[in-house]
Amino acid sequence: FTLHDFWLMCPRGQFLTRSIGKEHNFQLCSGQQDQKCASDCYRVYFSGNERDEEQDIENWSSWIHQRMIETKAIIGKVDLFIAPSNYLRNRFISDFAVPENKIIYLDYGFPTEYLTQTEKSIEKINFTFGYIGTHIPAKGINQLIEAFREIEEPATLRIYGRHNGQSTNALKLLAATSKNKIEFTGEYINHNLANDVFSNVDCIVVPSIWAENSPLVIHEAQSCKVPIITADFGGMKEYVQHKVNGLLFEHRNTNSLKEQLRFAIANPNLLKQFGERGYLFSEDGSVPNIQDHCNELTKIYHRFITKNLWRVTIDTNPEDCNLKCVMCEEHSPYSDFIPNLFKETGVKRRRMKFETVEDIFLQAEKLGVKEIIPSTMGEPLLYKEFDKIFALAEQKNIKINLTTNGTFPKKTVEEWAKLIVPNTTDVKISWNGATEETAKKVMIGIDFLKSIENVNAFVKYRDEHLAKTGYFCRVTFQLTFMQNNMHELADIVKLAAELGVDRVKGHQLWTHFDEIKNLSMKANEVSVKQWNEYVEQAYQAQEKFRKSNGEKVILENIIPLNDNETKELPEEYECPFLTKELWISATGSISPCCAPDNLRKSLGNFGNISETSIKDVLTSQAYTELVANYKTKPLCKTCNMRKPSINK
């Protein structure tokens, strides 16, 4: 996300007040405050009736408050911000709480092939100043004209830029009383900037009254070796050093600007020397070339879009659970997994040693892994060292992605939310019905009404945290698609919207046991057809029922099935995990996906974390061959997790 102004922080983008008809119009704003923004900058949208003023302020304050919640949420959704000046970078760190490691400085690039010092310099009668840009109040052209009018020495001011109605007309009236000539020269073609503009001036003035961040015109002038006079504020000051490559005046002070204009007139040769210095941050004064800039951007983007491992799931405590969901590989009433585990190993409950967790986090940090998921089997909140996982995640700058059954055991929901929300990207709450009757059939032992209360409380805390900090933790309902619960899919979408849940996602049933095979939506052509009808109903519900902020609930993996998906998946369906995620069991076994344990063994042996590193697994022959040939594997041909590359 490349920043160009303060738009995320300021509803109007420039931290300039808009109080038309009042003394403090176009003043520098000290900071964003909902009511101040409403009563000052948005007063122009009030009804005009004094009796409505209090209600107008309340309405616009509410709108601005919601707007700021949305823009603050962007921080959590962006991998990297790019600021074209250190000034802008520092403002977003200090005023908008963007983490320092999430925002870098990178100046703009320019088409230097036509921004070159011109030999076609027009002979001038006297010293000529130039302004280039739009004719709007924020640019401070009126202050430039006011300062220039007070100059007694012979000089000329050329104002370039498209005529802007009343703004330009007002500037012309102001200029009409000047002793020295002020010319409004109109538009120019950017490709001809060097010959048509810079050759006609001795100096460029950038008098903006707001905190310009990295003014293009300053760079363009420096590329053509033209000196600049600008304000000692914001990004303007960053790119012009007083009496090195230009002159600085006190921001918004016409007397100070006048003195620098007079200095330039009196010292034309010195100004030429300043112009020759050009750009401060290169030895020869050259501004960054646009091709080099694009190459650097490509490298940056490449870091975030290449298929590097970005998430690891660790099965911390798979045998610990307080529910018995019918589809669960381990805890279903139909499962004999735990008794067999005891027979084979003498262990009733596998729990990952915290030393192993620490080692995984250390390796993940070195590999640039973005997220770690505590156990998706069992209930991770029952893991004894669960709190330590969050401390470790914060230390290693890795986010948590959590799957939980929504019971929030041993603590209050608020206590859990306080721990989870600040460093979690997504909380996936297992959800399998819109009614108590259906939910209890699937998630045996669930208190459905209590679960709704829990979600309400969790989302409330999440929203409060978002409003305070700008950090967004998504909340998701995670479903297993079965014939005994998907008749309520549309109602689950509706319920999600009512509760403020952001996303509804899920997957088709893994039929671990004969007793549940008939529950699969892929069981036969009739069930496939029924599923496709449920999908259509879900998208209708998505359109009809919105969250309180007007947003749709996101639907993920809720896509129609093809008729032949009762057997094999379409060839074009992709694996969402290979090269992106790994699974590590409680005993350290490494797996490439989340398929049932007895099935994924057919994909190969990828070692144990106690003996091999994550990096070695990713480069191993077994793994690279699987990545290349997974569509030929019997398990992968029928995998419930593969999906079209473009979702509905």
Side-chain angles (χ1 to χ4, degrees):
F1 191 121
T2 299
L3 300 162
H4 302 288
D5 50 30
F6 303 115
W7 185 84
L8 291 179
M9 291 195 284
C10 167
R12 297 193 61 246
Q14 294 180 312
F15 280 120
L16 278 182
T17 62
R18 178 175 60 181
S19 305
I20 296 173
K22 296 188 176 183
E23 290 184 0
H24 58 288
N25 193 28
F26 294 119
Q27 298 302 303
L28 288 175
C29 177
S30 58
Q32 192 277 323
Q33 296 174 10
D34 297 343
Q35 188 164 336
K36 182 178 71 172
C37 294
S39 58
D40 285 354
C41 294
Y42 285 83
R43 182 172 291 274
V44 293
Y45 301 118
F46 286 10
S47 68
N49 191 326
E50 290 185 5
R51 291 176 299 178
D52 297 335
E53 181 167 326
E54 188 174 328
Q55 185 63 48
D56 284 331
I57 291 174
E58 182 179 340
N59 290 342
W60 280 103
S61 294
S62 176
W63 179 87
I64 292 164
H65 179 74
Q66 187 61 43
R67 186 258 188 206
M68 295 309 300
I69 288 176
E70 295 296 330
T71 58
K72 284 181 180 179
I74 291 173
I75 296 174
K77 299 175 182 179
V78 171
D79 291 306
L80 186 72
F81 290 95
I82 299 173
S85 68
N86 283 299
Y87 171 79
L88 187 62
R89 179 178 183 270
N90 293 335
R91 282 289 298 268
F92 269 85
I93 292 170
S94 62
D95 296 358
F96 207 57
V98 173
E100 287 191 45
N101 63 353
K102 212 173 188 181
I103 181 169
I104 64 169
Y105 160 70
L106 179 67
D107 199 4
Y108 294 126
F110 294 84
T112 52
E113 68 276 7
Y114 65 77
L115 287 173
T116 57
Q117 191 169 17
T118 179
E119 297 298 328
K120 185 188 169 186
S121 183
I122 306 299
E123 186 176 341
K124 309 170 190 71
I125 298 173
N126 48 40
F127 196 93
T128 302
F129 299 98
Y131 166 84
I132 304 174
T134 53
H135 298 180
I136 59 174
K139 294 297 184 178
I141 309 172
N142 60 312
Q143 293 198 353
L144 171 58
I145 293 174
E146 289 169 6
F148 184 78
R149 286 191 312 180
E150 296 186 30
I151 292 175
E152 297 294 333
E153 300 89 339
T156 300
L157 171 60
R158 295 177 184 269
I159 297 176
Y160 294 87
R162 178 181 298 177
H163 189 281
N164 186 26
Q166 175 59 28
S167 292
T168 304
N169 292 337
L171 292 172
K172 286 183 175 180
L173 285 175
L174 192 63
T177 58
S178 174
K179 173 185 173 183
N180 281 313
K181 188 175 183 181
I182 300 178
E183 301 175 356
F184 286 79
T185 58
E187 295 183 68
Y188 55 88
I189 298 173
N190 215 56
H191 198 81
N192 299 329
L193 189 60
N195 288 332
D196 291 352
V197 177
F198 290 136
S199 66
N200 288 290
V201 299
D202 296 300
C203 177
I204 288 294
V205 184
V206 182
S208 296
I209 62 172
W210 75 291
E212 293 267 13
N213 297 307
S214 184
L216 302 183
V217 65
I218 287 180
H219 294 78
E220 291 165 339
Q222 289 173 345
S223 183
C224 293
K225 306 302 182 183
V226 176
I228 299 108
I229 298 176
T230 192
D232 60 350
F233 191 63
M236 297 175 283
K237 179 182 179 181
E238 187 169 329
Y239 288 102
V240 177
Q241 189 173 338
H242 190 56
K243 294 187 177 180
V244 174
N245 65 339
L247 299 173
L248 295 177
F249 65 90
E250 184 182 343
H251 190 224
R252 301 170 71 99
N253 186 324
T254 54
N255 287 328
S256 178
L257 173 54
K258 177 187 69 175
E259 292 307 313
Q260 298 310 317
L261 297 178
R262 294 184 66 191
F263 181 90
I265 295 168
N267 299 277
N269 292 330
L270 198 54
L271 264 288
K272 284 184 180 180
Q273 290 180 29
F274 297 161
E276 289 296 326
R277 175 61 185 89
Y279 187 68
L280 289 172
F281 307 111
S282 64
E283 290 187 9
D284 63 356
S286 298
V287 301
N289 177 271
I290 194 167
Q291 186 60 55
D292 295 335
H293 176 76
C294 289
N295 290 340
E296 186 61 30
L297 279 179
T298 301
K299 291 178 185 177
I300 292 169
Y301 275 74
H302 188 70
R303 280 167 43 200
F304 292 96
I305 63 175
T306 48
K307 293 184 177 180
N308 291 331
L309 187 74
W310 72 282
R311 186 157 71 189
V312 175
T313 295
I314 52 176
D315 281 336
T316 48
N317 55 317
E319 281 74 62
D320 294 332
C321 196
N322 51 359
L323 297 179
K324 292 185 176 295
C325 300
V326 295
M327 64 287 191
C328 181
E329 183 179 359
E330 295 197 21
H331 299 281
S332 170
Y334 309 118
S335 174
D336 57 4
F337 184 95
I338 294 176
N340 286 339
L341 175 69
F342 181 69
K343 286 180 185 178
E344 294 171 7
T345 66
V347 174
K348 289 184 177 180
R349 298 179 187 276
R350 298 169 297 169
R351 295 190 179 101
M352 184 177 284
K353 294 179 180 179
F354 194 70
E355 292 82 0
T356 303
V357 174
E358 290 178 309
D359 179 54
I360 292 169
F361 267 90
L362 180 61
Q363 292 189 45
E365 179 189 28
K366 291 178 179 178
L367 290 171
V369 169
K370 303 296 182 186
E371 293 183 354
I372 284 183
I373 302 180
S375 191
T376 55
M377 295 295 296
E379 173 50 59
L381 272 59
L382 292 171
Y383 183 59
K384 187 177 179 180
E385 282 87 11
F386 188 79
D387 291 23
K388 291 183 181 179
I389 290 177
F390 276 82
L392 193 58
E394 186 174 1
Q395 177 188 339
K396 301 297 183 183
N397 194 29
I398 295 174
K399 299 298 183 186
I400 297 297
N401 187 309
L402 180 65
T403 300
T404 175
N405 62 25
T407 58
F408 295 100
K410 295 188 175 182
K411 296 182 183 182
T412 66
V413 177
E414 290 77 13
E415 287 171 334
W416 280 120
K418 187 176 181 180
L419 172 69
I420 293 168
V421 167
N423 198 46
T424 301
T425 57
D426 190 17
V427 176
K428 299 187 291 293
I429 300 174
S430 298
W431 205 268
N432 283 285
T435 64
E436 185 174 19
E437 180 183 4
T438 298
K440 284 187 171 183
K441 284 181 181 178
V442 177
M443 302 176 70
I444 297 172
I446 193 74
D447 184 336
F448 182 70
L449 298 180
K450 179 63 176 174
S451 293
I452 290 178
E453 289 179 15
N454 290 345
V455 173
N456 254 323
F458 192 91
V459 170
K460 180 182 178 183
Y461 183 90
R462 186 277 306 270
D463 290 345
E464 290 171 351
H465 185 77
L466 172 61
K468 289 177 183 177
T469 68
Y471 182 78
F472 178 73
C473 169
R474 183 167 63 183
V475 178
T476 297
F477 276 168
Q478 178 137 308
L479 286 53
T480 301
F481 306 146
M482 298 185 289
Q483 292 191 48
N484 64 343
N485 66 346
M486 284 301 96
H487 59 287
E488 294 184 356
L489 178 57
D491 287 330
I492 291 173
V493 174
K494 177 184 177 183
L495 179 61
E498 291 171 350
L499 294 174
V501 171
D502 309 290
R503 182 174 64 148
V504 174
K505 68 168 291 192
H507 58 80
Q508 297 294 339
L509 175 68
W510 290 102
T511 53
H512 304 295
F513 325 109
D514 290 340
E515 291 88 344
I516 64 172
K517 284 184 177 179
N518 65 326
L519 296 180
S520 172
M521 298 304 311
K522 293 184 176 184
N524 51 57
E525 291 182 3
V526 174
S527 62
V528 167
K529 182 179 179 181
Q530 184 64 71
W531 164 254
N532 291 342
E533 290 177 6
Y534 294 152
V535 170
E536 189 63 35
Q537 292 167 10
Y539 280 94
Q540 290 171 0
Q542 181 196 43
E543 289 291 338
K544 184 176 180 181
F545 304 106
R546 306 291 181 100
K547 295 189 294 179
S548 60
N549 62 4
E551 288 184 355
K552 296 179 185 179
V553 173
I554 298 167
L555 302 185
E556 190 168 322
N557 297 340
I558 298 175
I559 54 177
L561 295 172
N562 294 332
D563 292 341
N564 64 348
E565 281 190 56
T566 56
K567 298 175 182 177
E568 290 187 2
L569 294 171
E571 171 72 16
E572 65 270 17
Y573 278 27
E574 301 291 340
C575 174
F577 305 126
L578 289 175
T579 73
K580 302 179 185 71
E581 302 187 44
L582 281 180
W583 274 254
I584 302 175
S585 76
T587 55
S589 295
I590 301 172
S591 301
C593 70
C594 62
D597 191 57
N598 62 321
L599 297 178
R600 60 186 172 188
K601 289 177 181 177
S602 67
L603 300 177
N605 182 358
F606 302 95
N608 192 288
I609 196 66
S610 64
E611 300 170 348
T612 188
S613 69
I614 295 173
K615 184 177 180 180
D616 287 342
V617 170
L618 297 174
T619 57
S620 68
Q621 183 176 350
Y623 190 79
T624 53
E625 286 183 355
L626 176 63
V627 171
N629 303 308
Y630 74 91
K631 290 183 180 181
T632 66
K633 302 287 185 180
L635 170 60
C636 300
K637 286 182 178 181
T638 59
C639 177
N640 289 325
M641 311 308 288
R642 279 176 62 192
K643 55 187 178 181
S645 56
I646 300 177
N647 208 339
K648 180 172 178 179

